[in-house]
Amino acid sequence: MAFRTALIEETAAFGEIIRTADLTTEVPSCPGWTLKQLFKHVGRGNRWCAQIVADHMKEPLDPRDVRDGKPPEDLDGAIDWLNAGAQALIDAVEHVGSDAKVWTFIGQKPAGWWIRRRLHEQTVHRADAVLALGLPFVLDPELAADGVTETLERVALMAPAADPPLERGRSLHLHAAESELGPTGEWLVVNDEDGLGWSHQHAKGDAAVRGPASGLLLAVNRRQTVEEAGLEVIGDAAVWQRWVDHSAF
């Protein structure tokens, strides 16, 4: 997947939603935020990552220290600022090299890691915006499926062993409805002797959640309930509910 192109496209799409929206609109999936706050969060987030990469940082960057971290007051200038931030991240990665190790919130990672992370951050926040406005969320199934994968990767690394989103010995199967995705549209999450992990595997879980890849992305990121996302839960629904209740970071 061309993550760099997708980041530019998703950022632009988000900006166009903001361009025509009432920025005082509350964002239910981000409690306490308006669209204006969501916009600033996304725009500053890309510049935050770009600075971490460009400066080859090994420690976290205080968001207050982000260069040019505030958007211009005029809307056109603010949209340009948003799009330039995504491009700045791509430019920074190209400058230092995709494999150069930099700080991330899950340890030192290749700089290119940030592009995929910000892409999926952007798709979910675009969903926040369109859902707040009562609009349909449309996303390419391949991109949505990779977003599910990226979410599971982070949860598996960040979940506390003492209170995991999946109890020891239990399993959860996610299955995208789009058959063209093949193995990349299925995920088996387990908590076994090796701890919490996942694989692209077609196997029965204690609970299964099935439906469109975009719906799965919204559900695993707690943006919509399974009902709202057009998904079906099969098996022990408590397994899925525990995942939802314990996978937020």
Side-chain angles (χ1 to χ4, degrees), residues 154-167:
R154 286 185 291 109
V155 172
L157 287 169
M158 298 173 69
D163 189 27
L166 197 63
E167 293 178 314

Side-chain angles (χ1 to χ4, degrees), residues 8-247:
I8 294 298
E9 292 175 348
E10 278 294 313
T11 303
F14 175 75
E16 290 310 304
I17 292 166
I18 294 296
R19 189 187 298 278
T20 58
D22 177 354
L23 297 186
T24 65
T25 302
E26 293 186 355
V27 183
S29 51
C30 299
W33 280 12
T34 63
L35 284 179
K36 184 175 183 179
Q37 290 166 305
L38 179 66
F39 174 81
K40 289 181 177 179
H41 169 77
V42 171
R44 180 180 293 179
N46 281 336
R47 289 173 180 271
W48 176 73
C49 299
Q51 191 168 330
I52 289 170
V53 173
D55 293 355
H56 221 145
M57 296 183 68
K58 304 299 184 183
E59 300 292 336
L61 172 67
D62 188 325
R64 293 171 296 184
D65 295 332
V66 174
R67 293 188 288 268
D68 197 19
K70 294 183 180 180
E73 289 299 323
D74 69 288
L75 185 57
D76 287 342
I79 299 297
D80 289 343
W81 169 86
L82 171 75
N83 291 326
Q87 186 62 55
L89 173 57
I90 292 170
D91 292 345
V93 171
E94 289 181 348
H95 179 71
V96 305
S98 293
D99 295 330
K101 295 293 183 66
V102 298
W103 177 88
T104 81
F105 53 81
I106 55 174
Q108 302 291 313
K109 292 285 184 183
W113 180 92
W114 275 116
I115 293 178
R116 182 173 178 237
R117 169 81 285 274
R118 292 306 301 177
L119 166 60
H120 293 307
E121 177 90 354
Q122 181 65 86
T123 60
V124 171
H125 283 322
R126 182 168 69 82
D128 290 328
V130 298
L131 294 175
L133 295 167
L135 301 171
F137 176 60
V138 179
L139 186 64
D140 174 76
E142 183 182 359
L143 180 53
D146 190 69
V148 174
T149 297
E150 196 262 353
T151 301
L152 296 181
E153 290 172 352
R154 286 185 291 109
V155 172
L157 287 169
M158 298 173 69
D163 189 27
L166 197 63
E167 293 178 314
R168 186 69 177 267
R170 308 309 297 272
S171 58
L172 173 66
H173 181 225
L174 306 177
H175 192 161
E178 294 88 351
S179 59
E180 67 271 17
L181 292 172
T184 62
E186 291 197 61
W187 304 262
L188 182 68
V189 189
V190 300
N191 188 349
D192 56 20
E193 62 273 10
D194 295 322
L196 188 68
W198 68 275
S199 61
H200 286 302
Q201 188 178 152
H202 179 73
K204 185 176 181 180
D206 294 306
V209 183
R210 300 179 181 177
S214 59
L216 289 172
L217 177 65
L218 296 181
V220 298
N221 282 282
R222 300 166 308 284
R223 263 44 190 195
Q224 286 189 326
T225 65
V226 287
E227 293 81 11
E228 291 168 339
L231 305 173
E232 176 186 15
V233 179
I234 301 167
D236 189 349
V239 171
W240 167 249
Q241 191 57 50
R242 179 181 174 86
W243 179 272
V244 172
D245 294 341
H246 290 75
S247 61

